Amino acid sequence: MLAHAFGAKSKRNDQFEWRINEGTITAIPLSGEKIRGFRANVLVLDEFMLLPEDTIKSVLMPFLVAPQDMAERIRIREMEDDLISKGNMKESERIVFGNNSKMIALSSASYSFENLYRTYKEWMNNIYSDEIMQSSYFISQMGFDAIPSDMIDSTVIEEARGGGASSSSFLREYAAQFTDGSDSYFSAKKMHQCTIPDGEKQHTLVKGEKDKEYILAIDPSFSNSPSSDFF
């Protein structure tokens, strides 16, 4: 009886599914290849700042392409085609289906050179744009001081303020403000520029002179060989 009340569960190596109250809760690994093929009407991306830009645009956003009522839309279109062919309806009288898909991005503020800030600026430009677009945008940038005092632990805020209320990390995490850099000795922006992007690997580009000929040799030695060099 308890199992029936809480629904059936199924578990695979790459997916955990829980059916309850005629709905489904599905847990999947955040891997670009393993999460392809899923569909949703509301896509909630928590910790948006930490998600790779390529994964968001190439894998997650396509979740919203196919509407949930696709079968109903096809049925209506077939009825309209039949009415139009019989002269009982005009093309201009077809139903215009609304776009109900939503993407919700939740995150602390980031550095101004990261994808979250670029997305923030893009959405802000769309909000204040004079162009008529099918999509609508909303941004809520809310720091800790905008929240009722009884809804947050003031001791945590005081502890975080220990490094200074104007510190870069405090402004991003608690004040919802984007910052250009960090308070550390090394520039966070330069460190980011020196970091290998997600999906890429280390590589070395070797260039030679145009009037020279070169021979490329590859050492096939294996590290487990007794006579091998140690790498």
Side-chain angles (χ1 to χ4, degrees):
M1 181 180 293
L2 184 63
H4 178 74
F6 283 94
K9 300 177 182 179
S10 62
K11 184 177 181 180
R12 302 186 325 203
N13 291 335
D14 59 349
Q15 181 177 328
F16 185 88
E17 188 175 84
W18 185 8
R19 299 180 180 274
I20 181 172
N21 293 336
E22 300 183 359
T24 302
I25 300 174
T26 304
I28 54 178
L30 188 59
S31 171
E33 296 301 322
K34 293 185 178 181
I35 62 178
R36 293 182 184 274
F38 287 88
R39 293 294 177 261
N41 292 103
V42 179
L43 181 63
V44 181
L45 304 180
D46 194 17
E47 297 295 349
F48 186 89
M49 174 180 62
L50 303 179
L51 298 176
E53 181 179 4
D54 182 65
T55 299
I56 295 172
K57 293 184 176 180
S58 302
V59 180
L60 296 175
M61 290 183 66
F63 284 13
L64 303 172
V65 172
Q68 193 173 25
D69 59 344
M70 178 64 74
E72 179 67 12
R73 294 190 180 194
I74 294 175
R75 186 185 67 82
I76 293 175
R77 284 289 181 252
E78 291 176 347
M79 292 176 57
E80 291 175 340
D81 292 340
D82 182 60
L83 291 172
I84 291 174
S85 65
K86 294 178 180 179
N88 297 326
M89 182 178 178
K90 299 179 181 179
E91 281 286 345
S92 59
E93 296 175 338
R94 286 185 181 272
I95 294 177
V96 178
F97 297 109
N99 179 18
N100 298 321
S101 298
K102 297 179 179 64
M103 186 179 80
I104 302 173
L106 307 173
S107 180
S108 303
S110 68
Y111 292 113
S112 58
F113 54 81
E114 293 183 303
N115 178 55
L116 173 61
Y117 181 72
R118 292 195 297 270
T119 303
Y120 166 81
K121 293 294 291 183
E122 178 185 344
W123 289 13
M124 286 290 288
N125 292 334
N126 291 336
I127 290 174
Y128 290 102
S129 174
D130 294 330
E131 298 182 11
I132 299 177
M133 297 180 293
Q134 294 184 351
S135 302
S136 58
Y137 297 84
F138 169 78
I139 295 177
S140 175
Q141 189 174 3
M142 185 169 60
F144 75 95
D145 50 355
I147 303 175
S149 58
D150 56 346
M151 295 182 62
I152 58 175
D153 190 340
S154 59
T155 58
V156 176
I157 301 298
E158 292 176 1
E159 181 68 23
R161 271 179 163 170
S166 60
S167 67
S168 178
S169 58
F170 182 84
L171 292 176
R172 292 194 309 274
E173 187 65 29
Y174 295 95
Q177 296 183 25
F178 296 95
T179 61
D180 293 329
S182 62
D183 300 326
S184 58
Y185 178 78
F186 294 101
S187 168
K189 183 176 182 179
K190 290 184 178 180
M191 294 290 289
H192 177 77
Q193 293 172 344
C194 295
T195 302
I196 299 175
D198 293 314
E200 296 186 12
K201 296 182 179 180
Q202 301 92 333
H203 62 276
T204 301
L205 179 62
V206 180
K207 292 184 177 180
E209 299 179 14
K210 293 183 179 180
D211 57 343
K212 303 293 183 180
E213 292 185 0
Y214 298 87
I215 298 177
L216 176 64
I218 299 177
D219 184 1
S221 179
F222 295 97
S223 60
N224 58 355
S225 173
S227 59
S228 172
D229 294 330
F230 180 76
F231 294 101

